[in-house]
Each structure stands twice: as C-alpha cells, then as structure tokens.
Amino acid sequence: MSRVLSWPHTPIFPKLLDALKVDRHQTAVTDKGTIRFDLFLGPVEMKFSNAQQQLPPGTEVQVWWKGSGFVCATAEDIEAEVHESEESQHILERVHQVREQLAAARRERHERFVNELDIVLPLADAEQPQQAAV
C-alpha cells in the first residue's frame, strides 16, 4: 500500500524537489517518524499525511512523485502490488480468451442453425393465382 506524504515542511528552494520527482528514492523512516532526504541544495523532510499509516522508525521505504505529491511504500508493499498487478493482468487475459471462445461458439452455433434450417417456403408465383380466384 502506498502512503501519501505531506508537502515538505522544511524550507523549499527553487529546483530543490526536482531531483526527487525524477525517480524512486530509497530512504528510511527517521526516529521522529518522518521521511528525510539530505540533498545538495538542502534537506527535505516530510511527514505521513495520515497518522494511522505511520511506519516504525528505521523502516526502509521508497519515495516517488505521483501526480501532485509524494508517496512512499515499503519494498514488501511494492512487491505485493506488482504481484497483484501481474495477477490482475493474467485474469484479464484469461477473460479475453474466454470471451473469444464464447463468441466463436456462438458464431458456430448460428452457422449450424442456419445451415440445418429446413423450412420449405411457398413460391410467390403459386400464391398469386389463389388470390385472384377469391
């Protein structure tokens, strides 16, 4: 599960966060319960937005930029999400296969029904004299 981080509460200088927005970065939860990076332009420190998602000090996490803010997750959480994603993809592929098989079976049944249809329709010419006689 990804945990949302607060906007950094340390002073932010122009271009300070650009390095963090590029890729995932490994760090650990500090004794104060924050995520801290000591960058060339200065330190960046963030708290967990939701106190119920707080991780214990020393927990290794990866931090990355997602949309409009920073998120973090433990290696186990990331691995579980990857596994779930692969499993979901496998299920989706299987559903597509089953739908294709079902569509093929329907087409085959329809063709068999149309080919086996044995209805003799009266000729249009034969009906006309009967109508004239009435």
Side-chain angles (χ1 to χ4, degrees):
M1 169 180 75
S2 299
R3 292 163 172 84
V4 177
L5 299 173
S6 68
W7 194 249
H9 58 88
T10 49
I12 300 174
F13 302 101
K15 307 276 183 190
L16 176 66
L17 300 177
D18 290 351
L20 291 176
K21 291 181 179 181
V22 174
D23 204 2
R24 291 184 181 210
H25 302 278
Q26 187 80 26
T27 190
V29 178
T30 66
D31 293 336
K32 296 188 304 183
T34 62
I35 304 294
R36 182 179 176 91
F37 292 99
D38 290 311
L39 303 175
F40 177 71
L41 295 173
V44 174
E45 196 168 68
M46 298 173 264
K47 297 178 183 178
F48 290 92
S49 291
N50 186 345
Q52 294 175 339
Q53 294 181 346
Q54 182 75 38
L55 293 170
T59 304
E60 293 285 325
V61 294
Q62 288 190 18
V63 177
W64 66 96
W65 178 261
K66 186 172 184 177
S68 61
F70 289 99
V71 294
C72 74
T74 62
E76 295 83 22
D77 290 341
I78 293 171
E79 189 174 313
E81 286 180 17
V82 167
H83 178 70
E84 287 175 11
S85 175
E86 290 172 351
E87 203 171 286
S88 296
Q89 185 64 32
H90 175 71
I91 291 169
L92 181 64
E93 290 170 1
R94 184 68 183 126
V95 167
H96 285 304
Q97 290 174 351
V98 170
R99 284 182 177 166
E100 288 174 9
Q101 290 172 351
L102 182 60
R106 285 179 177 157
R107 282 190 303 272
E108 188 269 331
R109 185 180 67 208
H110 178 73
E111 287 176 17
R112 197 171 12 140
F113 176 76
V114 170
N115 291 338
E116 292 177 2
L117 192 62
D118 192 21
I119 298 176
V120 178
L121 298 175
L123 296 173
D125 296 337
E127 288 181 16
Q128 288 176 355
Q130 289 175 348
Q131 289 176 358
V134 176

